[in-house]
Structures are given as C-alpha cells and as structure tokens.
Amino acid sequence: MNAFRLADSAFDSAVLARGLASASAGACVTFEGWVRDHNEGKPVQRLAYQAYAPLALAEGERILAEAAARFAIDRAICVHRTGDLAIGDLAVWVGVSAAHRDAAFAACRFVIDEIKQRVPIWKNEFYRDGASGWLHPDGSPVQP
C-alpha cells in the first residue's frame, strides 16, 4: 500500500489513522482539509479536483519520504480526493505517528504544506453566482 494516494470517492479517515499505529509511537497527529463555503470573499457552491496522477503519486511519495528523513517519525500517510466534492466533504487527510508529539506535529505540517506547493492537483471552485475559477495547488489563481 502506498503512503500517498489519490481517491476518487470518500474514504474513512479512522481506518487510515489505525494504519499509523506502532509500538514505538507515542503520538499521532492528523490533519483534515474540508471543502468550505467561501474563498477570497466569494461564496463557494462546490469544488472539483483534477490531478496528473503519475506525477502526483510520485511527488506525494517523495514528500512523505522527505518527512521521514527530516523528522523522527514512524509513519506518514496522505490521501487527497479528486473529482467533485460538496461543501463539508473531506478533501485531504494527512496523518503522522512518532515517538514524540513535536516530531509528529512538525512532520504533519510539513507534509500538508509541501503537498499544497508541489503536487499537481488543481482545484476548480464553483461559485454561487455561476462563475468558476481554477486554482493552482498552492491556492493561487491559474492565469489563462
């Protein structure tokens, strides 16, 4: 099982969290990113995520390997949704286990920040006024 995955349907974060357990882990930190009803002052109705899967999977695995090399962690997992998502849906989940909380918190923050910056996943926001707009993985608008 890969530590970084793309999911085209809802997934169970509790099952993922159980995959972080180990006898040497004294801490588990998770992050859930949900679809919210606004962005940059615009009311959002729904989102659609697209990814270039071969590169997204490779870069996601590279980020998790970097986290393991940089922080004293036991395990790290990340799952990012693709496809259409409604307000309140779980869009991205990151979990890290470690012997100590400092490493778990730092690694979890590192993973989500790097995923947003480097992994080729694009978000199309659909606004309540009927307009839509593509966002780069880092959250900035995509310029035509």
Side-chain angles (χ1 to χ4, degrees), residues 25-126:
C28 174
V29 173
T30 64
F31 169 81
E32 293 186 355
W34 303 327
V35 178
R36 63 180 179 267
D37 68 355
H38 66 280
N39 188 38
E40 304 271 327
K42 296 179 185 176
V44 174
Q45 185 174 23
R46 65 183 176 88
L47 302 179
Y49 283 101
Q50 290 185 5
Y52 179 61
L55 184 55
L57 294 168
E59 192 64 20
E61 288 291 337
R62 195 169 4 264
I63 291 166
L64 294 176
E66 288 173 22
R70 186 171 175 176
F71 304 97
I73 62 173
D74 286 357
R75 298 185 180 144
I77 299 170
C78 179
V79 180
H80 202 298
R81 284 286 308 275
T82 58
D84 295 326
L85 281 78
I87 302 302
D89 282 352
L90 179 57
V92 61
W93 186 90
V94 177
V96 175
S97 61
H100 302 285
R101 68 181 175 272
D102 287 344
F105 275 109
C108 191
R109 177 64 181 250
F110 171 83
V111 169
I112 190 58
D113 287 350
E114 294 299 308
I115 294 295
K116 298 290 267 177
Q117 288 292 318
R118 295 168 39 190
V119 176
I121 299 171
W122 295 272
K123 175 170 58 173
N124 193 358
E125 289 185 333
F126 294 87

